[in-house]
Amino acid sequence: IFRQHTEIFDPTTRAELAQGGCPFDFPGLRYLRTMRDSLPLNDLVAPFVVISSSGMCAGGRIRHHLHHHLEHADDALIFVGYQAEETLGREIVDGAKEVTLFGQTHQVRCEVTYLEGFSAHADQPALVAWAEQAAGQAEQVFLTHGEPEPLAALAGRLRGTLPGEVTVPRVGQRFEV
């Protein structure tokens, strides 16, 4: 997908791509497309890096890798994106000493690092600009993804911008649309 949308990159990366380079291919990189392909990683002792698309550790193969590596003090787990409340990723980033995976308790002994600033989530001005275009003349806008304080702030900002009603639903609340 990134290769198909080079307009999202900075000028340096676009120039590299135009010259035939590719930031997605480098020596030692292997794409493992199936669960079966990635199973041998669970037993590796040599240094390796797993780049996972399940950034909050909510599902997929990353949970198996964590199951096998969280307790290794020589391993490192680096988060480079936002971790939502009540996700395994957030628990680990917040310093949990133990977590549960597949019904088993695991001690978090690996080094955990969180690099802020790499999140793909839009900031408030970008969300407001998108909502102004996407919502148009909508009579009702629901904000359903995010943490309570930022959601309330965004709702307040949108209420001053959009013509329709802006609602942050509570869990279990129902609406007729």
Side-chain angles (χ1 to χ4, degrees), residues 42-43 63-72 75 106:
N42 295 330
D43 299 321
R63 294 177 65 82
H64 292 277
H65 300 314
L66 293 172
H67 177 73
H68 290 276
H69 292 277
L70 275 176
E71 297 192 354
H72 298 176
D75 289 353
H106 294 274

Side-chain angles (χ1 to χ4, degrees), residues 99-122:
V99 295
T100 302
L101 279 160
F102 307 115
Q104 296 178 16
T105 300
H106 294 274
Q107 301 299 311
V108 180
R109 293 191 178 111
C110 66
E111 177 185 341
V112 176
T113 303
Y114 177 54
L115 303 177
E116 295 189 54
F118 286 94
S119 179
H121 290 78

Side-chain angles (χ1 to χ4, degrees), residues 9-110:
F9 295 114
D10 63 24
T12 303
T13 306
R14 282 197 304 271
E16 180 183 345
L17 289 164
Q19 295 172 358
C22 184
F24 310 110
D25 293 317
F26 48 86
L29 179 67
R30 289 189 353 230
Y31 286 92
L32 303 176
R33 302 206 184 274
T34 69
M35 170 77 87
R36 185 176 182 179
D37 291 341
S38 67
L39 284 174
L41 297 178
N42 295 330
D43 299 321
L44 273 180
V45 177
F48 69 99
V49 174
V50 173
I51 301 171
S52 170
S53 62
S54 181
M56 295 181 209
C57 307
R61 293 180 261 171
I62 192 62
R63 294 177 65 82
H64 292 277
H65 300 314
L66 293 172
H67 177 73
H68 290 276
H69 292 277
L70 275 176
E71 297 192 354
H72 298 176
D74 291 338
D75 289 353
L77 179 57
I78 303 169
F79 289 92
V80 294
Y82 174 76
Q83 301 301 303
E85 288 182 351
E86 299 185 30
T87 63
L88 177 59
R90 181 65 167 267
E91 280 184 63
I92 296 169
V93 165
D94 283 349
K97 299 297 179 201
E98 61 181 39
V99 295
T100 302
L101 279 160
F102 307 115
Q104 296 178 16
T105 300
H106 294 274
Q107 301 299 311
V108 180
R109 293 191 178 111
C110 66

Side-chain angles (χ1 to χ4, degrees), residues 123-124 127-128 143 149-159 166:
D123 60 7
Q124 190 182 84
L127 288 171
V128 170
L143 302 178
E149 286 184 30
L151 271 180
L154 179 59
R157 177 98 183 266
L158 290 175
R159 286 183 186 116
V166 177

